[in-house]
Amino acid sequence: GVVNMYNDRATSLSSGSFCTKRDPVKSIMNLQTSADYCKFNHDGQILAMSSRREKNSMKLLHVPTSTVFSNWPTSKTPLNYVWSMDFSPGSKYMTIGNDQGKCLL
């Protein structure tokens, strides 16, 4: 799965209109299957991405550096098939709901 990041300030300086063709700033290709769900934390610093099609398929991206966290999830993180996720209002916590009806905090 590919998640593309675009610059939201991609306007034409001469006309002030939005460009019709935009190139991604970064393409994240760390998911093996298509991305079903993406969620930014409260300040846009972290992007969580997941796929329902593959077990334990979730990645976190540090947006300012366009770097995927390599230390999480680990092989021992019991994600199973991720069906939902969200951050707490101040991003102190992240919750993950899976196909087994469990909510991981």
Side-chain angles (χ1 to χ4, degrees):
V2 178
V3 176
N4 288 324
M5 288 183 21
Y6 294 91
N7 183 350
D8 66 347
R9 294 174 181 85
T11 57
S12 171
L13 296 176
S14 60
S15 66
S17 63
F18 285 101
C19 299
T20 55
K21 181 181 181 298
R22 297 178 5 179
D23 293 322
V25 174
K26 174 80 174 176
S27 292
I28 300 98
M29 296 182 255
N30 292 75
L31 295 175
Q32 300 300 315
T33 58
S34 62
D36 292 308
Y37 195 65
C38 294
K39 179 76 176 184
F40 283 98
N41 74 330
H42 81 284
D43 63 0
Q45 295 278 316
I46 298 174
L47 174 64
M49 307 164 281
S50 68
S51 175
R52 293 181 180 173
R53 291 167 176 81
E54 186 176 352
K55 193 172 183 178
N56 300 321
S57 185
M58 183 173 177
K59 297 293 181 183
L60 296 177
L61 174 79
H62 183 246
V63 175
T65 60
S66 299
T67 305
V68 175
F69 288 89
S70 61
N71 60 342
W72 193 89
T74 68
S75 60
K76 295 182 180 185
T77 307
L79 294 176
N80 290 305
Y81 294 92
V82 176
W83 282 82
S84 62
M85 64 183 143
D86 206 352
F87 293 94
S88 65
S91 298
K92 190 173 182 181
Y93 299 101
M94 181 177 74
T95 60
I96 302 162
N98 66 22
D99 63 314
Q100 297 177 341
K102 294 184 180 179
C103 183
L104 308 169
L105 185 60

